[in-house]
Amino acid sequence: MSRILMLFTLLVGFCGAAQAQDLQTLLQSHAEEVAKPGRRTVTAVLDDLAASGLPQVATFLEQWQEKNVWQGPEGDFHFATEDGDNLLLTDIDTGVETTVPDAGFTQIKPNGGVRRVIGTALVQFQLMDPDLDRRTTAVASIARRPEASQLAPLLASIDGEEDSALRDRKIQLANFLSARFADAPEDRIAAIQSLSSDVSVEARAVLNQILTTATEVAPTLPEDQNIATVLTPGADISLEEAYGMLVDADLFAPLTQPDAIKAALADNIVDGRVGDVPVAQLNTDANRARAYAQLAHAGTVPPLVTSIERDAALSQYVFFEAYSEPDAVITDAASAALAGAETRVAVGQAADLTLDALSLASIYFLAAIGLAITFGVMGVINMAHGEFIMMGAYTGYVVQLFIPSYTLSIIVALPLAFAVTFGAGVAMERLVIRHLYHRPLETLLATFGISIALQQLAKNIFGTQARPLTSPAWLDGAWVFNDVVQISYIRIAIFVLALIFLCLILFVLKRTRLGLEVRAVTQNPGMAASMGINPDRINMMTFGLGSGIAGIAGVAIGLYAKVTSEMGADYIVQSFMTVVVGGVGNVWGTLAGASLIGFLQKGIEWLNPSNTLAAQTYMILFIILFIQFRPKGIVALKGRAAAD
């Protein structure tokens, strides 16, 4: 390690300085090693190249590694590419290009091992290259194939790194390499301890590499090895696997299997007997074992090894796992660091799951809040609510066809989707719903038929393929906290939109005359009518408001999910569950229901990630049980309406 650091220091010190000799002259002093490189001989060439400080060395190493170096008839070296029967030569010092016949030129073809050695040396040059892309490539190369020889040049390149992101990456990789390859144990321990706060997969992989173990067997527990754990045959390791280790070590013969005993007996029947045991008596394990033992004693078959002999053999040896790392202090530090990292990962996974659940809850809240208003005020089971979500999403798609700016199109689409679905909701209430009040079965069938008609209408207009509703560029990507916790910006936007709508709906219901009338009709329609409130008008406005909110939810959901004619069906069941579980006709109940279902669904998916359909089934079963114990929902209505 110190030798590599010295060479790299020479390289850095001489970089940019004028040299008395050119690269061609230096190569001629190692002409045989360059022309026919080997893994042992190439090291001397690379050492002299590093010490020379010549700026063209990095380019030469790249071309040498890629087999683009040719030797001419006079023994000089060139970069060359074939062009028919000619070669396009490039002078390795001046870069002057010439075309010559290929006669007398020999292509230098280093083997794979030499090319890896050249690549390692090349990385040391690239770490200090003025080109940021080349430095980034060198760091990525180290990350792919970490080696002890890369630590010294990597450390030397950190102070001079101008790019802050690349500098941080170099420091991280230096910690990884130091944890595995640093010369001083205290340096390794310091690097290992720093990895306890790093939740990246790379950091945990480094710690696991330090804690690599091998299963071994010995007559007694060796004192010169770093023992990880002692294994008990039959508990920590199977009896068959443990005895197999003894067999592989040529300490004992393989266990004689019943089929092998039967085959050996069948091959050695003489005059109706095997040894002194008649064939008719070979129907028991004891007689077969006795006959086989006689054959083994005569040397006809291998010795009989039974489970009794196996157990006796296992009792004579100790089975254990030994660390590949001989220093117990290092492995203890790595174990503690890995435990700390895994704890942080577990906390991060819990936080990530919470963010996903909040995001899903906000989507369910947007989808269900309109239904909560109509269902709570009017008692109407609107099976076409999902199609209002679909109409809002398609409104956003149509707006983007005319407004190319995705940001402006979303700003226009939100109020326009509200207007379109508000009008559609009012029309539906005036034409159909108002004639079916207090007839829930007919209302359900009618709205279900309307939902099918709206789906077919959407298919006729937009086709069956999914249509894009593109989010603005500033919503692309994700907010990354670390390798474990991250959330997409589009989900954050939907969450913020849900909060905005929660505040707006609460303001409308609590601070406006319309909200006061809606709450009055919700609690006692008869008393509200006697106070001069028109319940019929309130029902119409309420249904339109709920439908308009569904349209806005459709724009938000369309940015996250596919926009198709069936997209509403994906949310209608969850919307009804959200309303019923949270409490009919209550905004806070809808929020509570959306949160419960969102967290419940994500929790079940985390427990059973391979089967999302099962997660949906379990969630519905839980909801059914929940309603049995709390039929009015989490937040039940108060007053006379609660007794209806």
Side-chain angles (χ1 to χ4, degrees):
M1 183 72 69
S2 58
R3 179 167 169 266
I4 295 174
L5 180 59
M6 180 187 68
L7 292 176
F8 194 75
T9 304
L10 288 173
L11 167 67
V12 174
F14 282 112
C15 252
Q19 303 296 316
Q21 59 179 351
D22 55 20
L23 180 58
Q24 185 70 251
T25 303
L26 177 59
L27 293 177
Q28 290 303 316
S29 65
H30 296 281
E32 185 176 353
E33 292 86 349
V34 174
K36 297 180 179 179
R39 294 192 63 179
R40 295 182 179 179
T41 59
V42 75
T43 304
V45 181
L46 296 175
D47 289 347
D48 284 354
L49 290 175
S52 70
L54 293 169
Q56 58 268 42
V57 169
T59 303
F60 173 78
L61 292 178
E62 290 177 354
Q63 298 297 325
W64 195 15
Q65 185 185 34
E66 296 298 325
K67 303 179 182 180
N68 292 331
V69 176
W70 293 62
Q71 188 176 28
E74 304 298 330
D76 49 346
F77 298 100
H78 306 269
F79 305 143
T81 55
E82 294 180 284
D83 183 15
D85 294 333
N86 296 324
L87 289 177
L88 179 61
L89 298 183
T90 302
D91 189 278
I92 62 175
D93 284 311
T94 64
V96 176
E97 296 182 351
T98 57
T99 301
V100 299
D102 61 4
F105 284 85
T106 303
Q107 184 181 12
I108 299 173
K109 300 179 179 180
N111 59 37
V114 173
R115 292 171 65 193
R116 283 193 294 271
V117 175
I118 296 173
T120 301
L122 181 59
V123 166
Q124 301 173 13
F125 287 88
Q126 292 173 333
L127 286 170
M128 300 292 291
D129 196 284
D131 187 357
L132 175 61
D133 291 337
R134 292 168 71 89
R135 298 199 307 274
T136 303
T137 300
V139 171
S141 176
I142 293 175
R144 286 193 302 269
R145 295 176 57 90
E147 298 178 2
S149 60
Q150 298 164 339
L151 177 57
L154 181 61
L155 290 171
S157 69
I158 291 175
D159 289 338
E161 180 56 59
E162 299 176 352
D163 185 83
S164 59
L166 186 58
R167 187 175 187 274
D168 292 340
R169 179 57 173 162
K170 285 183 175 181
I171 293 173
Q172 185 186 44
L173 281 180
N175 273 339
F176 295 163
L177 294 178
S178 297
R180 294 181 60 190
F181 305 123
D183 292 331
E186 56 272 17
D187 292 341
R188 294 188 63 187
I189 292 174
I192 289 170
Q193 290 174 342
S194 71
L195 298 184
S196 63
S197 60
D198 191 337
V199 298
S200 66
V201 176
E202 287 179 298
R204 283 174 280 154
V206 169
L207 294 174
N208 280 313
Q209 288 169 343
I210 296 173
L211 296 173
T212 300
T213 60
T215 304
E216 300 182 22
V217 59
T220 58
L221 200 63
E223 297 181 357
D224 59 345
Q225 287 186 270
N226 186 5
I227 306 300
T229 183
V230 177
L231 303 175
T232 301
D236 304 316
I237 184 174
S238 67
L239 297 176
E240 292 75 15
E241 185 179 357
Y243 191 76
M245 294 177 62
L246 297 178
V247 173
D248 293 340
D250 294 328
L251 298 173
F252 290 92
L255 193 68
T256 308
Q257 300 298 325
D259 291 341
I261 293 176
K262 291 179 181 179
L265 296 178
D267 292 340
N268 291 276
I269 298 175
V270 179
D271 297 332
R273 293 174 175 271
V274 178
D276 61 358
V277 181
V279 173
Q281 297 180 9
L282 293 176
N283 57 350
T284 65
D285 291 340
N287 287 340
R288 285 195 293 267
R290 183 162 63 89
Y292 188 92
Q294 293 178 9
L295 295 177
H297 182 72
T300 307
V301 296
L304 177 64
V305 181
T306 65
S307 58
I308 297 176
E309 283 82 6
R310 177 199 63 191
D311 295 342
L314 293 177
S315 65
Q316 302 174 30
Y317 288 86
V318 177
F319 298 85
F320 58 93
E321 288 184 350
Y323 289 114
S324 301
E325 168 60 48
D327 192 337
V329 177
I330 298 292
T331 53
D332 289 344
S335 297
L338 184 59
E342 289 178 344
T343 299
R344 291 175 180 269
V345 169
V347 173
Q349 289 175 339
D352 189 63
L353 185 65
T354 301
L355 290 176
D356 284 347
L358 284 173
S359 173
L360 186 62
S362 63
I363 293 174
Y364 286 162
F365 177 78
L366 283 175
I369 186 61
L371 185 65
I373 294 174
T374 58
F375 193 21
V377 173
M378 306 170 62
V380 175
I381 302 176
N382 181 18
M383 296 299 295
H385 181 78
E387 278 54 55
F388 288 116
I389 295 175
M390 176 263 293
M391 290 171 61
Y394 273 120
T395 301
Y397 165 70
V398 172
V399 169
Q400 287 194 343
L401 294 179
F402 294 93
I403 302 178
S405 172
Y406 293 139
T407 300
L408 181 60
S409 66
I410 295 301
I411 295 175
V412 173
L414 288 172
L416 185 60
F418 178 85
V420 169
T421 52
F422 179 89
V426 169
M428 180 176 170
E429 194 277 337
R430 292 288 88 185
L431 296 176
V432 178
I433 302 299
R434 66 179 300 190
H435 303 294
L436 300 175
Y437 286 143
H438 308 299
R439 297 159 64 185
L441 180 59
E442 288 87 344
T443 304
L444 186 149
L445 293 175
T447 55
F448 184 69
I450 292 173
S451 72
I452 296 176
L454 291 176
Q455 286 186 30
Q456 188 59 49
L457 181 62
K459 290 179 182 178
N460 293 340
I461 297 175
F462 299 102
T464 58
Q465 292 184 343
R467 300 295 178 176
L469 184 54
T470 308
S471 60
W474 50 273
L475 288 179
D476 293 340
W479 187 4
V480 180
F481 296 91
N482 50 47
D483 285 11
V484 179
V485 184
Q486 55 185 318
I487 183 171
S488 63
Y489 290 124
I490 186 64
R491 287 189 172 222
I492 296 175
I494 293 175
F495 178 75
V496 172
L497 186 64
L499 288 179
I500 292 173
F501 263 89
L502 174 63
C503 296
L504 287 176
I505 292 171
L506 289 175
F507 177 79
V508 170
L509 293 178
K510 302 292 185 181
R511 301 293 182 181
T512 65
R513 179 176 179 81
L514 175 62
L516 178 64
E517 293 176 347
V518 167
R519 287 186 289 130
V521 173
T522 300
Q523 294 183 15
N524 195 320
M527 183 62 72
S530 67
M531 298 296 293
I533 298 174
N534 185 349
D536 187 59
R537 172 182 168 274
I538 293 301
N539 287 337
M540 179 189 70
M541 294 296 294
T542 302
F543 200 91
L545 178 63
S547 302
I549 294 174
I552 293 179
V555 176
I557 294 173
L559 295 173
Y560 169 75
K562 59 183 180 180
V563 179
T564 65
S565 58
E566 291 89 5
M567 68 176 295
D570 297 336
Y571 293 95
I572 186 65
V573 175
Q574 284 87 347
S575 297
F576 271 108
M577 287 195 301
T578 298
V579 172
V580 173
V581 170
V584 176
N586 191 300
V587 175
W588 292 111
T590 305
L591 179 62
S595 300
L596 175 64
I597 293 176
F599 276 85
L600 179 64
Q601 181 171 335
K602 282 298 178 182
I604 295 175
E605 288 178 0
W606 180 76
L607 294 173
N608 189 14
S610 62
N611 193 340
T612 56
L613 181 60
Q616 295 280 350
T617 304
Y618 296 145
M619 182 179 66
I620 293 174
L621 291 175
F622 176 84
I623 300 287
I624 294 173
L625 292 175
F626 178 84
I627 294 175
Q628 299 299 314
F629 293 97
R630 196 172 179 85
K632 293 186 180 297
I634 299 174
V635 183
L637 283 174
K638 297 180 180 180
R640 297 184 182 181
D644 294 340

